[in-house]
Amino acid sequence: MINEKMEKAFNEQINAEFYSEYLYLSMKAYFASLNLNGFVNWFTVQVQEEHAHGMGMFDYVIERGGKVELEAIAKPEITWESPIAAFEQVVRHEEYVTSRINALMDVADEVKDRAALTFLNWYLKEQVEEESSVGNVLATLKLIDDDKHALLMLDRELAARTFVQPVIG
Ligand code: MG
């Protein structure tokens, strides 16, 4: 049976993962309004990944005999000043999520839940990848600056991203 404090922390993180899904869905709409369809595809995959992250914890809480309690998902921003501004927020958001996963592991440590620590290791590794991939897109956008041709080349590259259902835990 899962510890009550651990259960509460997982429930808060389930909400944070679904908020990430919502934020990226909003960014997908923003990039669609710019007709950057490769970016739209990139966010489609990002949304699917965040959904999988939330569901991984959802299933885990139930597997551990805990109770999932869904909360309201906050309204995300609906527009950004530029693609760079959007990706600056993506990078900040992923750094914030990493700090949240670390805090969740602190709770697991505190209540001596080693199974949860092992489970959360997957999320920690995933965050290293997330920070690296979104950081790369931001760095490329900064290099591109206002070169439209280069932006379209990046858009074409991002069109190739595909979703692979993660095996969590
Ligand atoms: Mg996530």
Side-chain angles (χ1 to χ4, degrees), residues 13 17 20 49-50 53-54 94 97 123 126-127 130:
Q13 190 57 30
E17 298 293 345
S20 300
E49 283 198 353
E50 297 307 341
H53 295 166
E94 287 304 326
V97 171
Y123 283 86
E126 176 72 5
Q127 281 313 116
E130 292 276 14

Side-chain angles (χ1 to χ4, degrees), residues 2-44:
I2 197 165
N3 171 286
E4 223 173 86
K5 189 171 182 181
M6 192 75 251
E7 178 187 74
K8 186 170 181 283
F10 266 117
N11 271 308
E12 285 167 3
Q13 190 57 30
I14 289 169
N15 186 269
E17 298 293 345
F18 289 146
Y19 173 75
S20 300
E21 178 180 2
Y22 227 41
L23 173 65
Y24 296 146
L25 200 51
S26 190
M27 287 187 177
K28 170 175 161 162
Y30 165 70
F31 280 96
S33 77
L34 301 179
N35 291 310
L36 288 168
N37 293 322
F39 281 88
V40 170
N41 174 67
W42 190 92
F43 278 101
T44 300

Side-chain angles (χ1 to χ4, degrees), residues 105-151:
M105 293 181 95
D106 287 343
V107 175
D109 243 343
E110 191 190 320
V111 303
K112 299 193 188 319
D113 189 339
R114 295 201 172 78
L117 272 179
T118 303
F119 175 75
L120 286 166
N121 256 323
W122 183 89
Y123 283 86
L124 203 56
K125 278 191 237 161
E126 176 72 5
Q127 281 313 116
V128 172
E129 274 176 41
E130 292 276 14
E131 283 191 27
S132 165
S133 80
V134 300
N136 282 337
V137 177
L138 177 60
T140 307
L141 279 171
K142 283 180 174 169
L143 280 175
I144 286 170
D145 201 12
D146 55 7
D147 180 345
K148 284 217 167 73
H149 182 71
L151 181 63

